[in-house]
Amino acid sequence: MSYAIGIDIGGTKTAIGLVNSEGQVLAKTSLPTDQTLLPSEMVDRIAEAVNGLLNDKGLQPSDLLGIGIGAPGPLNTKLGIIAEPPNMRGWWGFPVVAAFKKHFSSEIVFENDATAAALAEKWVGAAQAAEHFIYITVSTGIGAGIYSHGKLITGATGNAGDIGHMAIDPAAGTCVCGQQGCLEFVASGTAIARSASELLGRSITSKEAFDLAFSGQDGRMEEIVNRAFRYIGIGCVSLINTFDPELLVIGGGVSQVGAPMFDAVSDYIKRYALNPSGRDTQLVPAALQQDAGLIGAAALIHIPYSF
């Protein structure tokens, strides 16, 4: 049995897992991503947590095939740096691979977090039988991992699939990236919470917005939620028309609302995908959910040995 560490760095939390060659998470932990610390100090904490997992399992760093790291983009996988993720300004330009190499001599592989999650779904999740699929995460932000012709499509610097900043509705307002009406700005969990809070005049979460919408007690909230689902549908149709996938896998916190979102998005695809075969593109929930990122990061190491 071989082992790899998967590290999923997020704006608020970093998940760390020990994953074997069958995709099983043998041990995991998480740390707050403390953005008051220097990134190098945060890496020190992550490395300490990795060593703690290994010690608990009676393993040494030398027992690892390697360490996979997933992080939000923009990044540059060729240079091993986190470039300019909007929610991690303190990490801009940080050489994350070099920082981990100060702690570990194992192979280190670095990819966009959504790309890594797509690989996880291909390896042991909902896309095992697919050769052409797109994994979409709809959560605090929106991103995608693209798998086509039997391999990941990562782009020149590892940023392929940054669909959250695809303009959907320019009249909707200005995104954090400066563009008007990006998909993430209009349809993420953050967007739903923002619209609902502005409507009610008080701060509420996206979960509270969904609860109000589905209770049938607030038609205005239902309108906000349905509008977000339509925007997600628009994004999915754009992906279908561009990449011709056989399967779309949707994960992330917003996907947890289940049938209301999947039904609405499926209906939109059936109406508006250009190719008749595209209108029948299968839409399924992600199988791995909260562990997709760390399993995917570990898969960056395991996949060459598993397939």
Side-chain angles (χ1 to χ4, degrees):
M1 186 68 67
S2 56
Y3 308 95
I5 290 288
I7 300 171
D8 182 24
I9 300 173
T12 58
K13 182 186 78 170
T14 294
I16 305 155
L18 175 66
V19 181
N20 68 16
S21 53
E22 296 179 352
Q24 297 172 322
V25 180
L26 304 179
K28 64 180 178 178
T29 189
S30 65
L31 303 172
T33 304
D34 188 342
Q35 297 201 44
T36 66
L37 297 175
L38 292 172
S40 58
E41 295 174 315
M42 192 65 214
V43 168
D44 292 344
R45 291 189 178 186
I46 296 169
E48 183 178 355
V50 168
N51 286 321
L53 287 182
L54 293 174
N55 288 337
D56 289 345
K57 292 296 181 180
L59 298 172
Q60 301 295 322
S62 58
D63 294 319
L64 295 174
L65 285 178
I67 296 172
I69 303 169
L75 40 72
N76 190 317
T77 56
K78 304 300 182 187
L79 300 178
I81 67 171
I82 293 177
E84 296 186 4
N87 297 323
M88 297 179 68
R89 294 187 69 90
W91 290 64
W92 284 20
F94 180 63
V96 66
V97 172
F100 276 98
K101 284 185 175 179
K102 293 179 181 178
H103 293 275
F104 302 102
S105 59
S106 305
E107 179 186 11
I108 296 176
V109 181
F110 175 48
E111 283 291 350
N112 180 279
D113 51 4
T115 296
L119 191 58
E121 292 291 339
K122 170 61 180 174
W123 187 23
V124 291
Q128 294 180 56
E131 289 303 300
H132 306 272
F133 77 93
I134 300 173
Y135 167 83
I136 303 165
T137 177
V138 186
S139 190
T140 303
I142 295 178
I146 303 162
Y147 191 95
S148 187
H149 295 281
K151 64 180 182 179
L152 289 169
I153 305 299
T154 58
T157 59
N159 290 293
D162 204 350
I163 64 167
H165 297 283
M166 175 170 60
I168 295 292
D169 184 356
T174 304
C175 179
V176 65
C177 74
Q179 280 206 117
Q180 303 296 308
C182 290
L183 180 60
E184 182 170 301
F185 181 76
V186 298
S188 64
T190 304
I192 293 166
R194 184 189 67 245
S195 295
S197 297
E198 289 172 354
L199 180 65
L200 295 177
R202 60 184 176 88
S203 179
I204 70 168
T205 65
S206 58
K207 182 181 184 305
E208 290 172 313
F210 285 126
D211 289 343
L212 287 170
F214 299 148
S215 72
Q217 298 176 10
D218 193 326
R220 301 170 303 166
M221 206 61 55
E222 189 174 354
E223 183 179 342
I224 286 173
V225 168
N226 287 337
R227 183 172 66 231
F229 291 165
R230 181 170 60 85
Y231 285 138
I232 295 168
I234 293 171
C236 287
V237 165
S238 296
L239 291 172
I240 290 167
N241 290 346
T242 303
F243 293 102
D244 192 25
E246 63 193 284
L247 176 70
L248 296 179
V249 180
I250 301 187
V254 172
S255 73
Q256 296 300 298
V257 303
M261 188 202 75
F262 282 90
D263 290 347
V265 174
S266 292
D267 287 346
Y268 193 93
I269 291 169
K270 289 181 186 301
R271 290 185 65 186
Y272 294 111
L274 183 63
N275 191 324
S277 66
R279 296 168 206 155
D280 293 326
T281 302
Q282 189 179 7
L283 182 69
V284 301
L288 303 177
Q289 295 304 336
Q290 299 306 313
D291 285 340
L294 68 88
I295 294 174
L300 298 169
I301 298 295
H302 278 305
I303 287 295
Y305 300 90
S306 299
F307 291 158

